[in-house]
Amino acid sequence: MDMDGSFNKQAEGAAHGAPFYQPQADECAVFEVAYENRLPLLLKGPTGCGKTRFVAHMAARLGRPLYTVACHDDLSAADLIGRYLLKGGDTVWVDGPLTRAVREGAICYLDEVVEARKDVTVVLHPLTDDRRILPIDRTGEELEAGDGFMLVASYNPGYQNILKTLKPSTRQRFVSVEFDFPAPAHETAVVARESGLSEDRVAPLVRLAGKLRDLTGQDLEEGVSTRLVIYAATLIRQGMPVERAINVAMIEPLSDDRDVKRGLLDLVTAIFG
């Protein structure tokens, strides 16, 4: 954590083992080629489909430090670059996560980048073309990113409204990979591995998740994430009744509307009886 508490640094080298990630297609190969050729990468896909885990996996696999920034409405360019702070009566400059990543040759991951303030994308532009520089106006520095630095950003195109979209001029500075929820067999294997619940008991949970995702944009703003399916499976493995585990992990997190939740529970009954 630092300054506004919105980011963290992860330095999982290959010696510690990469976080588990099950590839869906060639996304790992695309990431490696982008890294080797110093290209910025944009990940597009729904919330909870594995984008953040993928980046953590690849950073560890490549043996690179990782700065993850959870973008939000109040995140400004200064939060990324740094600012002067009072320390022990002195005013000192403190680097933000983007500046640290550039200095250290690390990977900087901006999660849900469109949630940040508009001045953030302006800061990114010099880092996402052949200049690969980060001007710091407050200190007069102009940092040149080394070979180890990589900028990765993500967003959910299906969730953004007209006021929160990524401009074409920004999107076209990145190579992009589209993510989606895994195929049922694939997701079943992932949930079983992460939760410890057997695949035959996980399969109905994944089938329910698919039905809930079909309601996205209708009764639900967002479909159920793989993360929530893992939570439900974990609760079941710990002995919680199936219906209760589904309710607390896969129904309540999706909506506060009683009528909507009642309709979702009808789906649960149809699948689990």
Side-chain angles (χ1 to χ4, degrees):
M1 292 282 184
D2 200 18
M3 292 194 289
D4 65 348
S6 62
F7 76 93
N8 61 75
K9 180 186 179 184
Q10 177 180 330
E12 292 183 278
H16 299 289
F20 173 72
Y21 175 79
Q22 182 67 44
Q24 297 187 44
D26 64 347
E27 64 270 28
C28 294
V30 171
F31 193 106
E32 288 182 343
V33 172
Y35 173 77
E36 290 168 3
N37 289 274
R38 309 195 305 177
L39 303 176
L41 181 63
L42 180 65
L43 312 178
K44 304 187 295 182
T47 300
C49 68
K51 300 187 297 295
T52 300
R53 173 65 71 93
F54 168 64
V55 177
H57 171 84
M58 293 306 301
R61 184 162 151 176
L62 294 168
R64 303 308 307 159
L66 172 65
Y67 286 89
T68 297
V69 181
C71 298
H72 53 79
D73 290 342
D74 294 326
L75 187 79
S76 67
D79 293 322
L80 289 181
I81 295 175
R83 53 168 59 93
Y84 284 104
L85 297 176
L86 282 174
K87 285 192 174 183
D90 296 324
T91 301
V92 297
W93 173 261
V94 177
D95 285 341
L98 180 61
T99 303
R100 291 184 184 184
V102 170
R103 289 191 197 277
E104 298 172 16
I107 295 172
C108 184
Y109 174 48
L110 306 181
D111 188 19
E112 298 296 346
V113 66
V114 295
E115 295 295 333
R117 285 167 37 173
K118 296 298 182 184
D119 61 337
V120 166
T121 55
V122 175
V123 168
L124 301 181
H125 284 186
L127 282 169
T128 52
D129 57 29
D130 56 1
R131 293 174 291 174
R132 281 174 56 89
I133 60 171
L134 178 64
I136 305 178
D137 294 337
R138 300 292 299 276
T139 65
E141 291 180 273
E142 185 175 274
L143 301 181
E144 185 173 337
D147 290 344
F149 171 76
M150 182 179 185
L151 181 65
V152 184
S154 73
Y155 80 113
N156 179 358
Y159 184 67
Q160 314 308 329
N161 61 38
I162 194 169
L163 297 177
K164 286 189 175 181
T165 58
L166 207 56
K167 292 182 178 180
S169 60
T170 300
R171 284 202 310 270
Q172 292 188 31
R173 292 174 174 271
F174 292 80
V175 294
S176 297
V177 175
E178 186 170 5
F179 279 67
D180 203 347
F181 295 108
H186 185 138
E187 188 168 21
T188 297
V190 169
V191 174
R193 184 189 188 283
E194 292 289 288
S195 68
L197 193 66
S198 64
E199 289 196 13
D200 63 312
R201 299 188 70 190
V202 166
L205 295 174
V206 171
R207 189 158 64 251
L208 173 62
K211 297 291 186 184
L212 295 174
R213 288 164 189 159
D214 289 342
L215 299 175
T216 304
Q218 303 172 39
D219 293 330
L220 299 176
E221 288 185 356
E222 289 273 2
V224 63
S225 67
T226 299
R227 182 184 305 112
L228 289 179
V229 183
I230 293 170
Y231 289 170
T234 301
L235 294 175
I236 293 169
R237 182 179 58 79
Q238 291 296 318
M240 184 177 290
V242 172
E243 293 79 5
R244 183 57 178 160
I246 290 172
N247 189 51
V248 300
M250 296 177 67
I251 302 300
E252 288 292 342
L254 295 183
S255 178
D256 296 321
D257 187 289
R258 289 186 178 181
D259 291 335
V260 170
K261 289 189 288 186
R262 194 175 298 117
L264 300 183
L265 288 172
D266 289 341
L267 280 175
V268 177
T269 300
I271 291 175
F272 287 87

